[in-house]
């Protein structure tokens, strides 16, 4: 009775996991709300403007009191320098047409090439900045508050993304056109600052990462429960004295499940990921992705583990019929040779037909795909 209770638990868990996976999969596709994006940008811009003006007031006061002596304070210089990494802010102090101090080299300014404006939103060589400044005598103190990086060329290090405070999608474009089809952003003084434009309405659609990850988790969990249930059934058949029947049942059950998964791409949420694309690995029709290879290895190992865990090797080697014993030993050697050949072919395919880093140096730049490929 306890065994049947375990099966009920496994089956109920499997059904619930499938239902949860499908449920989260159905809500993973979302669409940004333009109005909410506009409200968020306006509120964030106002907060950052007040923050930048407060910084300007503070630095201006410190510089007026100490002038260039403030640059000799290592703690002050370090704290001002870190503002760019934390808040996207750069402090610039100039005298006449020369730069006296710039807190971070991300700001594209140099001697005799100082800004000709005092305040506003401007596109510089590497991004959009909101600029604020104060003068005294022939000195001028500036605060440049980053809105969005804007590089001519992008790569894995240079990304045209918004400063993290805004928490908005990076595909939004900044323009000075107040009549643009988007939403306008204003200074705290109600003066026009800039506009944000959605380049294509299709880009408003996005996948909710949490729902997608939960859908993938429950899909994998349901598969694990299904394999455990089948394994337990095979073990039950073996327990009542039918090893060959148990092994045969497990083999064909695993083969059927794997065929359904492979042919019908079930669960679909898994086959929509990079793991089941040819991006990292593709060797043949039967091994079109790293995910399919991983599933094949898991299913084979479940069967092999069952056979070698349940089989009584001592009984086989005590067979007195020499001819039968010879053929059994020969079959084991052939099986071992076939397994070795299969392992070599898989490793060869991983080296030749993938872009995975399969040497031990992958631990210095860990990536889930490299880890799975290596294992």
């Amino acid at each position: 009775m306890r065994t049947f209770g375990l099966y009920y638990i496994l089956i109920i868990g499997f059904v619930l996991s499938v239902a949860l996976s499908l449920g989260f999969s159905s809500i993973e596709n979302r669409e940004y709300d333009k109005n909410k994006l506009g409200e968020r940008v306006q509120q964030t811009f106002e907060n950052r403007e007040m923050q930048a003006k407060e910084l300007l007031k503070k630095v201006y006061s410190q510089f007026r009191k100490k002038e260039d002596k403030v640059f000799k304070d290592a703690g002050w210089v370090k704290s001002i320098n870190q503002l760019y990494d934390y808040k996207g802010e750069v402090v610039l102090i100039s005298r006449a047409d020369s730069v006296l101090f710039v807190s971070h080299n991300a700001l594209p300014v140099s001697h005799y090439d100082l800004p000709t404006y005092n305040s506003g939103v401007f596109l510089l060589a590497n991004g959009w900045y909101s600029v604020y400044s104060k003068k005294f005598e022939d000195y001028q103190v500036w605060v440049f508050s980053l809105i969005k990086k804007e590089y001519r060329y992008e790569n894995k290090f240079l990304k045209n993304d918004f400063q993290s405070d805004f928490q908005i999608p990076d595909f939004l474009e900044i323009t000075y056109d107040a009549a643009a089809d988007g939403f306008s952003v204003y200074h705290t003084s109600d003066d026009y600052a800039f506009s944000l434009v959605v380049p294509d309405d299709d880009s408003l659609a996005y996948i909710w990462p949490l729902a997608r990850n939960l859908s993938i988790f429950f899909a994998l969990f349901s598969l694990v429960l299904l394999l455990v249930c089948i394994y337990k059934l095979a073990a039950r058949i073996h327990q009542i004295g039918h090893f060959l029947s148990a092994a045969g049942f497990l083999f064909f059950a695993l083969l059927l499940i794997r065929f359904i998964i492979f042919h019908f791409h079930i669960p679909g949420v898994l086959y929509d990921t990079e793991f089941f694309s040819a991006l990292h690995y593709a060797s043949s029709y039967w091994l079109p992705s790293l995910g399919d290879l991983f599933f094949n290895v898991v299913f084979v190992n479940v069967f092999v583990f069952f056979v070698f865990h349940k089989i009584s090797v001592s009984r086989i080697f005590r067979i007195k019929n020499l001819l039968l014993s010879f053929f059994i030993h020969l079959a084991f050697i052939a099986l071992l040779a076939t397994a070795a050949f299969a392992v070599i072919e898989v490793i060869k395919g991983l080296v030749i037909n993938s872009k995975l880093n399969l040497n031990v140096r992958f631990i210095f730049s860990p990536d889930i795909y490299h880890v799975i490929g290596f294992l």
Side-chain angles (χ1 to χ4, degrees):
M1 291 297 293
R2 290 176 60 186
T3 303
F4 286 110
L6 176 62
Y7 293 144
Y8 288 138
I9 293 172
L10 290 172
I11 292 170
I12 291 171
F14 170 75
V15 172
L16 286 175
S17 296
V18 171
L20 287 169
S21 178
L22 293 173
F24 283 115
S25 179
S26 66
I27 64 172
E28 70 178 17
N29 295 315
R30 290 189 162 195
E31 189 171 288
Y32 290 105
D33 186 313
K34 283 186 178 181
N35 293 328
K36 288 185 178 179
L37 283 177
E39 292 172 4
R40 183 185 302 169
V41 172
Q42 181 63 51
Q43 185 61 51
T44 305
F45 182 73
E46 289 179 4
N47 292 340
R48 288 183 57 76
E49 181 172 358
M50 290 187 287
Q51 174 183 292
K53 287 182 176 179
E54 187 64 30
L55 174 64
L56 176 64
K57 180 180 177 182
K58 177 182 175 182
V59 174
Y60 178 84
S61 174
Q62 292 171 334
F63 183 70
R64 287 212 64 171
K65 288 179 181 178
K66 300 182 180 180
E67 293 192 355
D68 58 351
K69 293 179 182 178
V70 75
F71 306 145
K72 298 176 183 179
D73 185 341
W76 182 86
V77 172
K78 183 178 179 181
S79 65
I80 296 295
N81 173 266
Q82 291 174 339
L83 288 174
Y84 180 79
D85 296 322
Y86 297 142
K87 300 180 180 179
E89 295 174 331
V90 181
V91 172
L92 169 67
I93 300 176
S94 64
R95 182 177 187 182
D97 56 359
S98 298
V99 175
L100 293 182
F101 172 79
V102 60
S103 64
H104 200 284
N105 59 11
L107 188 69
V109 294
S110 61
H111 294 296
Y112 313 111
D113 188 25
L114 293 173
T116 57
Y117 42 79
N118 295 321
S119 63
V121 173
F122 300 94
L123 174 61
L124 305 186
N126 66 351
W128 290 86
Y129 291 84
S130 186
V131 184
Y132 312 92
S133 68
K134 292 186 74 172
K135 290 183 178 180
F136 74 97
E137 298 175 359
D138 57 347
Y139 295 100
Q140 190 159 1
V141 181
W142 316 69
V143 171
F144 291 76
S145 181
L146 178 66
I147 300 173
K148 183 183 182 182
K149 296 173 184 174
E150 193 82 23
Y151 300 107
R152 182 174 298 179
Y153 303 104
E154 290 187 89
N155 55 37
K156 66 179 181 179
F157 302 108
L158 303 178
K159 299 290 185 182
N160 293 339
D161 49 12
F162 280 90
Q163 201 279 334
S164 58
D165 286 4
F166 286 95
Q167 297 182 350
I168 57 175
D170 297 326
F171 60 74
L172 294 173
E173 297 176 355
I174 299 177
T175 177
Y176 288 127
D177 185 4
D181 183 18
F183 39 89
S184 299
V185 180
Y186 297 87
H187 293 285
T188 52
S189 60
D190 290 333
D191 294 326
Y192 173 78
F194 61 92
S195 293
L196 284 178
V197 179
V198 179
D200 185 351
D201 283 344
D202 290 341
S203 60
L204 288 171
Y206 73 102
I207 293 174
W208 187 24
L210 177 60
R212 186 171 184 78
N213 292 337
L214 287 172
S215 179
I216 291 172
F217 170 78
F218 283 111
L220 290 173
F221 188 62
S222 64
L223 185 58
V224 170
L225 291 178
L226 182 60
L227 291 178
V228 171
C229 187
I230 292 171
Y231 188 93
K232 290 289 185 182
L233 280 172
R236 180 64 178 169
I237 296 171
H238 171 264
Q239 191 176 358
I240 61 178
H242 301 288
F243 170 74
L244 291 178
S245 298
F249 163 76
L250 182 62
F251 176 81
F252 286 107
L254 291 174
L255 188 64
L256 178 62
I257 294 169
R258 184 66 190 103
F259 172 78
I260 292 173
I261 292 173
F262 179 80
H263 185 73
F264 296 102
H265 286 186
I266 299 173
V269 67
L270 293 180
Y271 277 86
D272 289 336
T273 63
E274 267 188 36
F275 193 42
F276 284 86
S277 72
L279 183 63
H280 299 283
Y281 166 83
S283 183
S284 66
Y285 174 80
W286 299 107
L287 295 173
S289 68
L290 187 62
D292 285 297
L293 173 61
F294 176 75
F295 271 6
N296 288 347
V297 170
V298 168
F299 277 63
V300 168
N301 273 280
V302 168
F303 178 73
V304 170
F305 177 80
F306 176 84
V307 171
F308 284 91
H309 180 64
K310 301 298 183 181
I311 195 171
S312 178
V313 178
S314 60
R315 289 179 58 188
I316 293 175
F317 286 101
R318 284 202 302 267
I319 296 175
K320 295 181 180 180
N321 188 315
L322 292 178
L323 185 61
L324 181 59
S325 178
F326 170 77
F327 281 111
I328 290 175
H329 283 75
L330 190 64
F332 269 103
I333 293 172
L335 180 63
L336 204 61
T338 303
F341 175 77
V343 169
I344 291 170
E345 287 300 307
V346 168
I347 294 174
K348 188 190 297 182
L350 276 170
V351 173
I352 298 173
N353 302 310
S354 79
K355 61 176 186 179
L356 300 174
N357 176 16
L358 297 178
N359 58 54
V360 293
R361 285 180 296 177
F362 81 90
I363 61 176
F364 297 110
S365 56
D367 178 275
I368 185 62
Y369 302 110
H370 295 313
V371 171
I372 292 173
F374 187 83
L375 292 176

